[in-house]
């Protein structure tokens, strides 16, 4: 497959056309951003780690019945994925309270959430990704009711699978964000799953092993991503 012109460049990834309309190349850059793009830095090797991490997780999810856009790794920082129409809604599941949930509701940081909490956010940096519900999504036409329900079911299925995967490697999957898209009218998991879009804590020490290290200026960001990858067996 031949890589063609750039179609879109986001905060951490770029998308390129290919000679086949059904597929695009997802290119993972070293750019790391937080606070709706206000804090941006280059972290050497992040693109490569996230590309390989994402490939591993997407393959694991696909092997366990979750439809994903992932097709194949093509080099250290790039993968081929299905060319989907993305749904502009982020699906967040929280197993432990932290971050914006704590700021919003004043609940205790670190509290275990049983059952887990599910939230939708509109993907819109200018509006700071406001929280929305199923009515907003349907009324404003961001997704059809049936597809919203599929996104929710798949996000919980991912929770069951990944909570266990990370627990087996001595980590707590605190929370994460997923994005979905439509390909031939069907819902598939898209975007990426990497330590950029989830929170992972060491089960014993509670050490943060995710992008909170960058958000909070704790240092050792890439070392933490590499450790997570190593623990779950991602070939780097
Ligand atoms: P949340 O606690 O709402 O965000 P904040 O980073 O402001 O504290 O985030 C919950 C999880 O979802 C966390 O792992 C980060 C991820 N997430 C993103 O990666 N991007 C987003 O735009 C949002 C809303 C969440």
């Amino acid at each position: 497959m031949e890589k063609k012109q750039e179609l879109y460049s986001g905060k951490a990834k770029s998308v390129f056309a290919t000679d086949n309309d059904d597929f695009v190349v997802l290119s993972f850059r070293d750019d790391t951003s937080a606070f709706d793009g206000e804090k941006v830095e280059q972290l050497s090797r992040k693109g490569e780690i996230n590309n390989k991490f994402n490939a591993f997780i997407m393959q694991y999810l696909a092997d366990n019945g979750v439809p994903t856009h992932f097709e194949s790794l093509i080099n250290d920082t790039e993968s081929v994925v299905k060319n989907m129409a993305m749904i502009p809604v982020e699906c967040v599941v929280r197993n432990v309270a932290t971050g914006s949930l704590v700021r919003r509701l004043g609940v205790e940081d670190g509290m275990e959430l049983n059952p887990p909490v599910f939230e939708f956010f509109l993907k819109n940096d200018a509006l700071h990704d406001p929280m929305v519900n199923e009515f907003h999504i349907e009324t404003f036409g961001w997704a059809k009711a049936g597809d919203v329900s599929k996104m929710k079911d798949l996000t919980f299925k991912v929770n069951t699978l990944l909570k266990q995967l990370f627990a087996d490697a001595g980590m707590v999957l605190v929370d994460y964000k997923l994005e979905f898209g439509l390909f031939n009218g069907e819902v598939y998991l898209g975007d990426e799953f990497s330590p950029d879009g989830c929170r992972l804590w060491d089960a014993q020490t509670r050490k943060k092993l995710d992008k909170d290290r960058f958000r909070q200026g704790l240092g050792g960001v890439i070392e933490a991503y590499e450790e997570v990858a190593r623990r779950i067996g991602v070939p780097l």
Side-chain angles (χ1 to χ4, degrees), residues 1-230:
M1 198 171 301
E2 204 188 321
K3 182 175 159 188
K4 302 258 198 176
Q5 80 280 8
E6 183 177 281
L7 297 174
Y8 172 80
S9 187
K11 293 196 289 282
K13 299 189 291 302
S14 303
V15 179
F16 294 85
T18 70
D19 51 8
N20 182 335
D21 278 350
D22 281 343
F23 300 102
V24 290
V25 169
L26 208 50
S27 182
F28 289 74
R29 308 195 312 269
D30 287 341
D31 299 305
T32 313
S33 74
F35 313 119
D36 299 324
E38 273 172 42
K39 175 174 176 169
V40 184
E41 276 173 39
Q42 293 262 316
L43 295 179
S44 174
R45 288 196 8 93
K46 196 200 65 146
E48 177 177 347
I49 295 167
N50 279 5
N51 182 41
K52 293 176 178 175
F53 196 100
N54 177 64
F56 181 90
I57 296 282
M58 290 286 175
Q59 195 58 61
Y60 179 77
L61 293 174
D63 290 346
N64 286 281
V66 176
T68 85
H69 69 159
F70 182 76
E71 293 286 322
S72 60
L73 275 172
I74 44 174
N75 58 46
D76 282 350
T77 58
E78 294 180 318
S79 292
V80 174
V81 301
K82 294 182 186 73
N83 184 11
M84 304 197 292
M86 293 303 292
I87 296 168
V89 166
E90 304 184 330
C91 298
V92 169
V93 162
R94 302 171 181 276
N95 296 305
V96 178
T98 197
S100 73
L101 182 72
V102 167
R103 290 195 294 276
R104 208 172 342 111
L105 302 181
V107 295
E108 192 194 337
D109 202 311
M111 175 189 176
E112 223 176 282
L113 303 173
N114 198 4
V117 167
F118 184 99
E119 296 168 340
F120 288 116
F121 294 91
L122 176 65
K123 205 173 152 64
N124 186 321
D125 276 345
L127 297 177
H128 305 292
D129 292 350
M131 187 188 281
V132 294
N133 66 32
E134 275 142 284
F135 290 87
H136 301 108
I137 298 173
E138 205 187 337
T139 299
F140 297 115
W142 297 321
K144 290 191 289 189
D147 292 340
V148 174
S149 150
K150 278 184 202 154
M151 285 159 56
K152 211 159 50 172
D153 289 351
L154 289 171
T155 303
F156 276 115
K157 180 162 185 172
V158 167
N159 197 40
T160 306
L161 291 166
L162 295 189
K163 229 169 42 170
Q164 191 63 53
L165 179 84
F166 289 115
D168 290 344
M171 291 171 280
V172 180
L173 178 59
V174 171
D175 56 27
Y176 60 91
K177 180 262 305 179
L178 300 181
E179 294 178 29
F180 294 86
L182 296 174
F183 182 75
N184 293 334
E186 290 296 319
V187 174
Y188 288 81
L189 176 60
D191 189 49
E192 70 178 281
F193 191 100
S194 74
D196 269 3
C198 70
R199 289 190 172 99
L200 289 161
W201 294 350
D202 181 88
Q204 234 97 69
T205 64
R206 303 252 136 183
K207 180 183 169 187
K208 297 178 199 303
L209 298 169
D210 54 68
K211 200 161 87 174
D212 268 353
R213 301 202 70 80
F214 175 73
R215 291 190 190 96
Q216 299 174 10
L218 299 173
V221 182
I222 289 309
E223 291 77 4
Y225 284 28
E226 275 174 328
E227 178 172 346
V228 175
R230 185 183 50 74

